[in-house]
Amino acid sequence: MKNKYYKFLDLGYQPLANQFLSKKDLLKKEKKYRLSVGLNKSNFLVSIKDTFTSKEMFDENYPYRSSMSKSVSTSFKKLSRQIKKKFKCKKILEIGSNDGTFMKYFNKKNIIGIEPCKNVEKITKNKKFKTYPLYWNDKTCQFLKKKYGEFDLIFSANTLSHIKDLGNVFKNISKILSEKGILIIEDPSLLDCLKKNAYDQFYNEHIYVFSCISLNEILKKNNLEIFKIENIELAGGSIRYYIKKTQNKLKIDKSFKIQINKELKFGLKKISTYQKFSKRVIESKNKLKEIFNNLKKKNKKIIGYGATAKSTTVLNYCRIDHNLIDYFVDTTPGKQNKYTPGTKIKIKKYEKEIKKDVDFVFLGAWNFKKEIFLKEKKFIKRGGKFITHVPFPKII
Ligand code: TYD
């Protein structure tokens, strides 16, 4: 396996991306790991090298909540309508149901969710939905199969790429999915990530960043295959994959072939593509630091918007800390009054608008740029500017 892995990117020592610090934690030494990224030369799967177990990353302190973004809710609502119309399924399972943002669009009798982070799982349970605080593994699969039988639709957004043993993930899905059943998954797209130079897609939770090419290679080994894809804007550019069992004779939609061709044309099977990306990442770091240092020399007040897991990678890699960013604003209750991992920038509750004394805002949640710009018309009108590093560092 070792010689199959080609390491192409080194993002330095990083803390766990969602390990926001309380005031007490500021005095403690943080757990760090080396964040490097590589390509498996046989199936073209891109993954980070050093990984953590699910139990280390996803526990009852996990802060992320899907419902914090309007775009996520809207996208799930639209998808739920299509699912009801096209697939008419009676038994749905969601893997990684978070705070129930997807489940809420279905009849409580038709859907169950599993979510290992008890704090967010509880939110869905309190709304009387059937959820279990479980990780997706052999035991969970056996338990669910015994209790519910097979499912005719399984949905999972931004979860399966967080689990190390992918072979096992899909083997179990294959066991619990009915013969004509459909698996729909959404995860960040490698093609988008490379095109946008969005190196912050890499952090401890994103063990893998899938491409259509690599995912289909893994699925095929487990009697599954992609039959349709949709490019969606979420999470900085994702793909929604529609997957079926190999023996299911559903027609393969042309969107699958189109995506594969796009990926081949961009060079996702060529080492040189990853080498070029790595060079661009270093250039991006230097440019972003230059922007921050120049503004700080002019005594500009800079804050961050959206304390994302992604921004943990950027800030630690570029060494942008509390000396350069005064504070972050974020709508997520579990992040407020905490500090960003590694860089120790205070996170404040978002109060309706950006404060008047702020000159520049670093877009931690650049993937919600449109949503944020719409909300912050006042700031833009009075000459406030945003800083982003995607697709290259600039002031907008
Ligand atoms: P997201 O990009 O989904 O995250 P990650 O990189 O952590 O997977 O997270 C968006 C974060 O930005 C989340 O903490 C909520 C916050 N946010 C705001 O504070 N205001 C907003 O208007 C939006 C859209 C997001």
Side-chain angles (χ1 to χ4, degrees):
M1 174 70 195
K2 258 212 163 112
N3 53 353
K4 272 201 256 166
Y5 189 77
Y6 174 74
K7 186 183 127 182
F8 61 84
L9 184 63
D10 183 352
L11 294 166
Y13 283 98
Q14 294 273 352
L16 298 190
N18 268 312
Q19 204 78 262
F20 294 92
L21 310 166
S22 65
K23 206 160 193 180
K24 266 200 310 211
D25 299 332
L26 291 176
L27 304 167
K28 293 184 203 152
K29 200 169 174 296
E30 280 175 85
K31 183 164 153 183
K32 293 205 174 162
Y33 70 103
R34 187 100 201 177
L35 178 54
S36 40
V37 187
L39 172 78
N40 179 326
K41 288 189 274 179
S42 59
N43 61 8
F44 306 100
L45 181 62
V46 164
S47 64
I48 63 168
K49 190 162 174 281
D50 294 329
T51 53
F52 292 87
T53 61
S54 297
K55 283 199 173 113
E56 285 173 293
M57 298 189 285
F58 307 109
D59 58 18
E60 66 284 355
N61 296 314
Y62 193 65
Y64 186 81
R65 282 171 60 178
S66 325
S67 62
M68 286 298 120
S69 149
K70 224 172 142 185
S71 332
V72 173
S73 273
T74 313
S75 169
F76 285 172
K77 187 176 182 180
K78 249 167 120 182
L79 176 64
S80 71
R81 278 205 202 117
Q82 286 166 7
I83 288 176
K84 283 178 210 160
K85 206 167 132 197
K86 275 195 200 142
F87 302 119
K88 303 204 167 42
C89 32
K90 295 221 164 55
K91 243 190 319 174
I92 305 170
L93 167 67
E94 183 179 9
I95 302 176
S97 49
N98 198 270
D99 60 2
T101 311
F102 175 77
M103 288 179 77
K104 75 169 185 221
Y105 295 113
F106 291 89
N107 187 319
K108 291 188 175 79
K109 283 187 289 195
N110 295 343
I111 189 160
I112 74 150
I114 60 157
E115 169 53 59
C117 305
K118 285 191 185 139
N119 53 333
V120 282
E121 187 258 348
K122 236 173 33 199
I123 300 173
T124 327
K125 194 173 261 163
N126 287 344
K127 290 181 199 144
K128 306 271 179 283
F129 277 93
K130 191 83 202 157
T131 59
Y132 295 93
L134 295 171
Y135 294 96
W136 179 245
N137 54 27
D138 293 353
K139 234 172 113 185
T140 302
C141 177
Q142 279 158 19
F143 160 74
L144 292 177
K145 192 157 180 186
K146 207 167 157 208
K147 191 161 174 75
Y148 297 97
E150 289 175 338
F151 287 84
D152 41 24
L153 192 124
I154 300 178
F155 177 69
S156 188
N158 299 304
T159 299
L160 303 186
S161 60
H162 302 184
I163 311 175
K164 187 161 185 188
D165 192 350
L166 278 185
N168 214 40
V169 163
F170 292 116
K171 181 194 80 190
N172 283 325
I173 285 181
S174 196
K175 273 187 194 163
I176 206 168
L177 188 68
S178 66
E179 206 164 307
K180 291 255 158 73
I182 307 291
L183 164 68
I184 302 176
I185 70 172
E186 293 182 12
D187 279 286
S189 149
L190 181 66
L191 183 62
D192 271 81
C193 163
L194 300 196
K195 273 189 176 169
K196 293 179 184 159
N197 215 31
Y199 62 89
D200 50 350
Q201 286 294 6
F202 299 110
Y203 55 90
N204 60 297
E205 289 169 23
H206 286 187
I207 297 179
Y208 305 101
V209 176
F210 295 144
S211 62
C212 205
I213 296 174
S214 64
L215 184 63
N216 214 37
E217 286 293 320
I218 297 154
L219 290 169
K220 277 195 293 195
K221 294 208 167 95
N222 294 285
N223 183 33
L224 297 164
E225 63 183 1
I226 302 166
F227 67 94
K228 183 181 151 178
I229 69 105
E230 280 163 6
N231 280 287
I232 52 175
E233 271 189 35
L234 295 181
S238 298
I239 300 182
R240 179 178 290 149
Y241 302 93
Y242 292 81
I243 298 159
K244 65 176 185 67
K245 287 200 164 164
T246 328
Q247 66 269 27
N248 179 342
K249 294 288 174 244
L250 260 178
K251 208 175 139 226
I252 310 277
D253 188 73
K254 60 177 187 296
S255 56
F256 169 68
K257 192 87 193 145
I258 291 171
Q259 182 66 22
I260 294 274
N261 286 339
K262 272 197 224 164
E263 293 182 355
L264 287 174
K265 201 168 158 210
F266 189 82
L268 290 194
K269 283 191 171 184
K270 287 189 206 145
I271 294 277
S272 58
T273 306
Y274 300 92
Q275 290 167 333
K276 271 189 233 154
F277 169 65
S278 176
K279 272 195 192 149
R280 277 169 56 211
V281 172
I282 297 169
E283 285 162 18
S284 173
K285 168 171 83 173
N286 295 334
K287 181 73 195 158
L288 189 66
K289 284 176 82 162
E290 192 187 305
I291 291 178
F292 270 91
N293 289 329
N294 283 341
L295 292 176
K296 221 53 212 175
K297 265 189 221 152
K298 292 180 194 155
N299 276 324
K300 298 292 181 197
K301 185 167 177 125
I302 314 172
I303 67 156
Y305 199 114
T308 57
K310 291 187 285 298
S311 60
T312 299
T313 296
V314 181
L315 301 175
N316 284 281
Y317 176 57
C318 301
R319 293 177 196 264
I320 293 167
D321 63 9
H322 55 94
N323 293 305
L324 292 169
I325 296 183
D326 276 43
Y327 58 88
F328 262 82
V329 287
D330 200 290
T331 50
T332 315
K335 295 183 185 178
Q336 291 159 359
N337 296 318
K338 293 205 166 168
Y339 295 80
T340 58
T343 46
K344 302 184 166 66
I345 305 164
K346 176 107 192 241
I347 305 163
K348 295 188 182 178
K349 185 176 175 196
Y350 174 75
E351 308 271 9
K352 281 195 189 130
E353 59 183 32
I354 298 165
K355 290 232 161 73
K356 298 227 165 46
D357 60 347
V358 173
D359 303 303
F360 290 84
V361 171
F362 172 66
L363 279 173
W366 57 266
N367 43 313
F368 294 117
K369 193 168 90 182
K370 275 191 201 155
E371 190 174 328
I372 294 169
F373 282 14
L374 272 174
K375 252 205 280 194
E376 305 305 338
K377 279 190 191 134
K378 250 184 165 172
F379 173 70
I380 297 170
K381 213 170 160 196
R382 69 168 159 86
K385 300 269 186 236
F386 290 91
I387 307 169
T388 187
H389 67 288
V390 177
F392 51 84
K394 62 180 170 186
I395 292 172
I396 29 178

